[in-house]
Structure formats: structure tokens, C-alpha cells
Amino acid sequence: MIGFVVVAVVGALSFAAVNFYGVKRLDTGTPLMQEIAAAIQDGADAFITHEYKVILGIASIIAVLLGVVVSWYTGVAFILGAFMSASAGWVGMKIATLSNVRVSNRARETGSLGQTLQVAFRGGSVMGLSVGGFALLGLGLIYVVFGLLMGQTSVDGLVIEINWIGINFIPFTMTVSGYALGCSIIAMFDRVGGGIYTKAADMGADLVGKTEAHIPEDDPRNPATIADNVGDNVGDVAGLGADLLESYVGSLISSVVLAAYMYYTTSQAPQPMSESLVGKLITYPIMFASIGVVACMVGILVLLLKKASDRPHRELNVSTWLSAILTVIGTGVLTWVLFRDETFTPILGFSLGALSPWFAAILGIVSGIVIGQIAEHFTSYDYKPTQKIAAASRQGTALTITQGLAVGMKSVFFPILMLAVAVIGANAIAGLYGVAMAAIGMLSFVVATVSVDTYGPIADNAGGISEMSKLDPHVREITDELDSVGNTTAAIGKGFAIGSAALAALSLFASYLYSQAGPENVHGAYELLLDMINPLTLAGGLIGAALPYLFSGILVEAVANAARKMVDEVRRQFQADPGILTGDSKPDYRLCIEISSAGALAEMKGPALIAVLTPLLTGFLLGPDFVGGLLIGTTLSAVMLALFTANAGGAWDNGKKYIENGHHGGKGSEAHSAGVVGDTVGDPLKDTVGPSLDILIKIMAVVSLIAVSVFQEYNLLSFLGGLFG
């Protein structure tokens, strides 16, 4: 196991370093391009530094509480997870701010779409490789230090431990849960803070610049343009990286925790799990992920070394598909070698023998691809749903919004249907462990998908720099083509993240039910039961279903508050100095950057605290049955809402781009103005709300899993019941 992880981690981080410095050595273009790029870098650095200072204070409090209330190693693992997630986000932001100007300059120098794509993708690959490398580096340390050296993954270690206040848990499950929670907390702050920042700036720039002043996107006369470009890096890159790393880790630990609890609760059953088998089930996910990372390195290398064509979508698909195919082959060999000599207890539900977990993972990969294709159908302007939004814009803004809502709502059903098929199929093939493996399968080539996702914001930033630097219009045409493909790939990536979140949450929920089994439950197969007609469970389900709407409303309002200030500031500058619009005066970019930063830093704490505190408060008040219902309600509601917001927002964005490409009157037409408004409505949905909801699901599941052994023993309802008996 250690060899697999070492090869993957060293290879991924070394490859990331090579690509990082390879991009950094490229020419940065004209002095004006360098000046604009430096302003974007300074703004991004300043924001992420302030953001991480805020996070450090909150994370320190959580780590201390975990260390005192649960165990010291849970607190240490939490810090390690937070550090790995923060590192990936910081590296991603750094490479994005270095790549943007170099992408723009490559387009300026060569006029080649293919060569420009390779520079943008090289920058994006640094983020992808960092996500895989840092995630596995942290998990590898957890396995070696706590699992092997401290004996937590040995059979003698997979037992219930009772801590100083009388709560019980399996040590290794608590360690990996702490690591996952650390990753999740950083992801939540990065996604929420970065999302508020970028969308406030984007909306302010569009609403005043495009629809009122009728100046082009990223025009240097617009005071909000630098803030908008900074936002692409802190929200769509740093936030994306932390988000996908968290999803990746969440899916991996869900299977590990489940295997440990299944072993413990069936240890005295007539046909218990063998010691050899449980050891393999615990190490299999991280070995599976390591092979996926190596496969993605090959897929990335192929695109970077070949002569790229002028068809970016095709080139990116080749890289992603190659990564996926190599992952499937490599993990198939791993699975057969690892499990071929094992005898499987019926409790596991491995219906296809040694290859059962692999088949379940393949089902996850297939369902993820199908969900991605559905997302592409509803969000790409190559297909009718988005084209209908663009056509509706000819009749005004109201119909643009209405048609976009319809597209978003219709886009939810088929991905959910695919998820249902994946859950039923994976469970039939390999039981609940198979469901967890389906989630891992979806994200097994996450390095490739994050690389593709990250290249989009880099290309978008490159377009902004080319516009502000007054480069030849052909340069902007190249970057816009890359950006358009990036919007579609981002929607596909969100589909993978949301789908894997649903599957991982189901596995974590099963672990939540298992974790309520005390030492008295080892004499037979522990039965997973949650009574849905129990008033407490039903009430929890209702509250849980409503929670994502409250959470989303807070996020949208936060974006709106910051965007409102941004709009006022841009209007004020235009009115106070008419020379800005004539090009005789320079706008004050700094004030707009400060507005976005202040809005994001002030508003990002509330949503994160909702995710952490809701299961804790309700658990200590009403007990584990209520929290069980809460998790079910939140998961179901959040998955639907996340798909709707991600796809509706992506469709509005590409509908606007379809008009800008010369359809329905093109830029400057009434249809274009309506499309811009539709895009701004979709901005906080697709880039703030949607990505944050899948993190909400997993934070609540992991927090509940960690805390259930506490509030199972200590909750107000049980206390009052005993008091008044």
C-alpha cells in the first residue's frame, strides 16, 4: 500500500512542480499586460491571505474541541486535512494568476488555438495534480502514522475505544473522519468566500458595464474588471481545488469507515469478516485512488506533448477519456490481485466475487460520465436547451429568466435517475461498500477533471487581460473559444462532484448508523435501521430538506449585498469622472477589489457555521434519530438544488455566449442585454450556491459521524425523559 501511495504522491507533486515552473518561464507579454497581471496577482494574494487568517482562527477552535472532547489524534488529523486542502487551494490560485497573462501572450504571439490551449491546460494541470497529490499525501500520512505505527488499522485496533467522558468509537474511523472534516472546512470557506467575491465583482461589472454603459466585457474602463478577474482565481480556481479535494477525500474515507464498522459489528456473527479481508478493504480505496492519479498523469502528459489541434473540446476529452480508461484497467488488475484469494462473507454482499468492488466502481464511473453528458446537454450552446434560452432573449429579460428556470428544473431528473440506478446497482454488486466504491469511481480520475475545470478560469482571465491590454481582437476570440469550452467542462465537473457527494453521503450515513452500535452489538450482524415514521426522524427529515434553501438563500443574499455595493461604486465612478468612459481617465480598481474582499470575508462565516453547528445543536437537543432524519432530508434536498443551480447557471452563461457569437443580433442587441441579465442571475447559482451544497452534505455527514457517540449519550431529550420518566 505504501509503495502505491508514494509513487502517486511523489509523481503528482513532482509533475505539478515541473508544470508550475514550466509555465512561469514563459513570456509575460507587453508592459501593459504585465501591469494588469500584477494587479490581479496582488488582489488574489491579499484576499486569500486574509481569508486563511480568518479560517486559521476558526479551525484552531475546532481542532482543540475535537482533541479535548473526542481524541487528540482526531484534532491532529483535522489540522492535517485543513493544511492539505489549504495548500491545494493556494497552489491553484498561484498558478492561475501566473498562467493567465502567459496564455494571453501565447495567443498574441502564435494566433494558434491549439498552442494556447496547451499553456492554459498546463496551468490547470498544476491544480489537478496538486489536488490528487496533497489529498493522498495527507491520507498516506494518516495510514502510516496512525494506522500502521499506532496500530489503528490492525485487527486489535479495530475495536471500540471509550474515551475519558465515556463516549465510544473505533479509533481509525475517528482519525480519518477528522482528516476529512479538516478538508471540508477549508473547502467550505474557499467556495463560499471565493464564490461571494467573484460573483459580486462579476455581477457589478456586467450590470453596469455591459447593460448600462454598453462597453465590452473586461473593458479597462470598467472599475470592476480587475476585481472580476481576481474573483476567477480565488473562487473558480482556489475554491474549485479545495472543493474537489474535499469530495475526493470524502468518498475515500466513506468506504474506509464503513469497512471498519462492518467488521466490528459482525465480528461475532456466524460468518464474520476475516482479518485479512478487512485489512484489504481498508487499504483498497487509497490504492485504487493512487492508480487513478498515475493514470491521470499519463492523460495529462499526452495532451501536453502532442501537437494540439484547434478543437479544444476534443483534445480535452481525449486526455480525460485516456485517464479514465487507464484507471479502469489498472484498478481492475489491482482488484483481482488483491481479492482473488479471499473468501467473502455474505454480510458484505459481494455478488460477483473478487471483482465486485471494481464493478461497483466502474458503475460509478459510468454514471458519472452519463451525469456529465446530461450536464453538457443542458448547458452547452451546441444543444437546444441553451439555444432556446438565447432565442427567448429576443422577447426580453423575463423570458430569458423563465426559460433558464425551465432548463434548470428539467435538468435535475435524469441525473437523479442515474444516481438511483448507480445506488441500486452498486448495492446489488457489492453491498454498501459497493456504493462507497461507486463514489470513489466517479472521482477516481479527479486529477484529470480538475485540470480541465481549472483551465477554464485561466482562459477567462486571459481574455480579460487581452481586452484590457487592447490586443488584437483575434486574441480575445481564441480565449473566448477556450472559455466557452471551459464553462461546459465546469458544469460537467460539478455534476461529478454532486453525484459523488450523494453516494459518499449515503455511505457515511450507513457508517453513522453503524457507529451507534456499542460493545453489546458485536454478537451478531448489526441491523441498520432508522424508523422514518418516528416523529423525531420525520421532523429531522423536514428540517433537513428545508436547510439547503436557507443555506442557499443566505449565499445568494450575500452575493447580492456585495454586488449592490459594487454596482453603486461603478456608477459613482462613471458619474464622478466622465473621462473614464472616454478613456481619458483611469478608473479606481482598488476600491472595487476592497468591496468584493470585504463582502466575502464578512459573509463567509455564517454558511460554514450552519454546516457544522446544525447537526451538533440538534443532536445535543434531540438525539441521534432526529439527526438521522436531518441527514436524509439535507442530502436529498441539497443534491436536487445543487444540480438545478449548477445547470441553470451554466445554461444562462452559455446562452449569453451563444448570442455574443453572432446569433439573435449579437453583441449590443436587446437580446444580448437580456442574456447578460440572465447570466448575472445564474452567476451566484452556478458558482456560489451549487458548489457549496455538495460540501454542506459531506460536512454535516462527517460532523454527525464524529459527534454521534457524544450526543447519543448526552442529549437534552434523553435527559428530560429520564428525569420525568
Side-chain angles (χ1 to χ4, degrees):
M1 183 270 290
I2 295 174
F4 277 90
V5 178
V6 168
V7 169
V9 169
V10 172
L13 295 182
S14 299
F15 195 7
V18 169
N19 285 347
F20 186 97
Y21 289 105
V23 169
K24 194 174 181 180
R25 283 194 295 268
L26 297 176
D27 188 13
T28 53
T30 67
L32 181 56
M33 292 170 67
Q34 294 170 18
E35 179 187 340
I36 293 165
I40 295 170
Q41 289 174 25
D42 291 343
D45 283 338
F47 175 74
I48 207 164
T49 301
H50 284 302
E51 183 182 49
Y52 280 4
K53 284 180 181 177
V54 173
I55 296 171
L56 178 63
I58 296 172
S60 299
I61 295 171
I62 295 173
V64 170
L65 286 174
L66 288 173
V68 172
V69 175
V70 184
S71 66
W72 68 268
Y73 44 81
T74 308
V76 171
F78 173 86
I79 293 171
L80 182 62
F83 177 77
M84 292 300 163
S85 185
S87 298
W90 185 86
V91 169
M93 180 276 298
K94 207 70 180 173
I95 188 60
T97 56
L98 291 173
S99 300
N100 51 17
V101 68
R102 290 159 174 85
V103 170
S104 183
N105 189 58
R106 178 57 61 92
R108 180 181 74 93
E109 289 180 338
T110 66
S112 167
L113 190 62
Q115 291 187 46
T116 307
L117 165 68
Q118 286 181 314
V119 176
F121 185 71
R122 184 182 292 275
S125 72
V126 175
M127 178 81 269
L129 292 161
S130 296
V131 165
F134 282 119
L136 290 184
L137 174 60
L139 268 179
L141 291 173
I142 293 290
Y143 271 85
V144 172
V145 176
F146 299 102
L148 297 179
L149 298 182
M150 292 182 59
Q152 289 185 355
T153 53
S154 68
V155 175
D156 293 336
L158 295 176
V159 295
I160 289 288
E161 181 179 288
I162 301 175
N163 76 354
W164 67 279
I165 58 173
I167 60 173
N168 58 77
F169 49 84
I170 298 175
F172 192 63
T173 66
M174 201 58 76
T175 305
V176 293
S177 296
Y179 179 76
L181 184 61
C183 296
S184 296
I185 291 295
I186 298 298
M188 177 63 80
F189 277 106
D190 273 4
R191 263 306 191 188
V192 170
I196 293 170
Y197 187 113
T198 185
K199 292 306 109 181
D202 196 1
M203 290 173 70
D206 283 355
L207 287 172
V208 183
K210 283 186 177 181
T211 60
E212 293 183 12
H214 299 291
I215 57 178
E217 185 171 7
D218 297 313
D219 191 293
R221 293 171 291 176
N222 192 328
T225 49
I226 296 292
D228 186 10
N229 283 275
V230 170
D232 289 338
N233 296 292
V234 299
D236 296 341
V237 177
L240 168 80
D243 178 6
L244 269 296
L245 184 145
E246 182 267 349
S247 295
Y248 191 45
V249 169
S251 64
L252 291 172
I253 73 106
S254 67
S255 56
V256 173
V257 173
L258 189 60
Y261 272 109
M262 289 176 74
Y263 171 75
Y264 172 76
T265 55
T266 61
S267 58
Q268 301 300 320
Q271 291 179 287
M273 202 183 299
S274 70
E275 296 179 1
S276 168
L277 179 57
V278 69
K280 291 176 180 178
L281 290 176
I282 287 174
T283 56
Y284 176 63
I286 193 170
M287 295 167 71
F288 192 105
S290 299
I291 288 175
V293 168
V294 174
C296 290
M297 290 167 59
V298 176
I300 290 169
L301 198 60
V302 166
L303 176 51
L304 294 180
L305 293 181
K306 67 177 290 194
K307 182 179 180 181
S309 70
D310 287 345
R311 298 171 61 190
H313 206 168
R314 176 182 172 276
E315 297 293 348
L316 295 171
N317 280 341
V318 167
S319 176
T320 305
W321 277 99
L322 179 60
S323 302
I325 291 168
L326 292 176
T327 299
V328 168
I329 295 170
T331 53
V333 173
L334 165 71
T335 308
W336 175 249
V337 171
L338 195 65
F339 291 114
R340 62 183 173 179
D341 297 326
E342 289 293 337
T343 301
F344 302 104
T345 172
I347 295 166
L348 265 179
F350 280 22
S351 60
L352 298 178
L355 290 175
S356 295
W358 180 73
F359 280 119
I362 300 307
L363 184 58
I365 292 174
V366 171
S367 61
I369 291 170
V370 172
I371 290 171
Q373 293 302 309
I374 294 169
E376 181 176 6
H377 174 76
F378 281 101
T379 59
S380 171
Y381 61 48
D382 292 330
Y383 299 98
K384 285 187 178 179
T386 297
Q387 291 174 7
K388 285 183 178 180
I389 294 174
S393 298
R394 292 177 300 178
Q395 282 78 41
T397 304
L399 287 174
T400 305
I401 305 301
T402 304
Q403 187 65 38
L405 289 172
V407 167
M409 290 175 180
K410 288 165 66 177
S411 73
V412 172
F413 178 77
F414 293 105
I416 294 297
L417 182 64
M418 193 62 234
L419 278 176
V421 170
V423 168
I424 295 170
N427 185 68
I429 293 169
L432 285 171
Y433 189 83
V435 175
M437 285 308 305
I440 292 173
M442 273 192 185
L443 294 175
S444 57
F445 47 100
V446 70
V447 170
T449 56
V450 172
S451 299
V452 172
D453 282 357
T454 307
Y455 117 97
I458 291 173
D460 189 12
N461 248 219
I465 291 172
S466 66
E467 185 81 39
M468 288 184 278
S469 304
K470 299 181 173 59
L471 301 183
D472 188 280
H474 182 59
V475 174
R476 185 61 194 254
E477 290 172 10
I478 292 173
T479 58
D480 278 354
E481 175 70 19
L482 297 177
D483 181 30
S484 175
V485 174
N487 276 334
T488 303
T489 57
I492 294 171
K494 290 185 180 85
F496 272 81
I498 294 164
S500 65
L503 296 175
L506 178 59
S507 302
L508 289 168
F509 180 69
S511 301
Y512 171 82
L513 295 179
Y514 271 125
S515 66
Q516 298 179 51
E520 70 278 3
N521 293 109
V522 300
H523 301 295
Y526 181 69
E527 203 169 1
L528 297 183
L529 289 175
L530 186 69
D531 185 1
M532 283 306 297
I533 61 171
N534 178 339
L536 278 175
T537 308
L538 187 59
L542 290 171
I543 299 298
L547 189 66
Y549 289 87
L550 172 66
F551 179 84
S552 302
I554 291 171
L555 289 180
V556 172
E557 188 172 47
V559 172
N561 288 339
R564 193 179 301 116
K565 294 175 184 175
M566 186 70 70
V567 167
D568 288 343
E569 174 58 25
V570 175
R571 284 175 178 163
R572 184 196 67 78
Q573 291 196 33
F574 284 162
Q575 291 169 1
D577 187 355
I580 292 175
L581 285 175
T582 61
D584 297 324
S585 304
K586 288 188 68 175
D588 189 341
Y589 301 118
R590 180 184 54 82
L591 282 174
C592 292
I593 292 173
E594 289 174 358
I595 288 170
S596 272
S597 296
L601 292 170
E603 301 281 1
M604 70 181 184
K605 298 174 189 175
L609 291 175
I610 286 174
V612 173
L613 294 180
T614 301
L616 292 177
L617 292 177
T618 55
F620 285 116
L621 287 174
L622 300 170
D625 286 342
F626 184 92
V627 175
L630 184 81
L631 294 178
I632 291 175
T634 300
T635 301
L636 295 177
S637 176
V639 169
M640 314 286 180
L641 196 54
L643 287 168
F644 163 69
T645 53
N647 291 338
W652 271 313
D653 191 352
N654 277 336
K656 175 203 69 176
K657 283 185 168 58
Y658 187 72
I659 296 171
E660 290 176 341
N661 285 349
H663 301 88
H664 308 304
K667 290 184 178 181
S669 66
E670 291 297 322
H672 183 229
S673 294
V676 169
V677 174
D679 179 30
T680 56
V681 171
D683 273 338
L685 299 182
K686 69 181 174 65
D687 291 326
T688 308
V689 172
S692 300
L693 284 169
D694 62 276
I695 306 174
L696 171 73
I697 296 170
K698 292 192 290 296
I699 285 185
M700 289 183 61
V702 173
V703 167
S704 301
L705 181 60
I706 291 173
V708 63
S709 53
V710 186
F711 60 67
Q712 185 178 13
E713 296 292 328
Y714 306 103
N715 66 78
L716 181 62
L717 194 64
S718 296
F719 173 74
L720 293 176
L723 198 63
F724 298 107

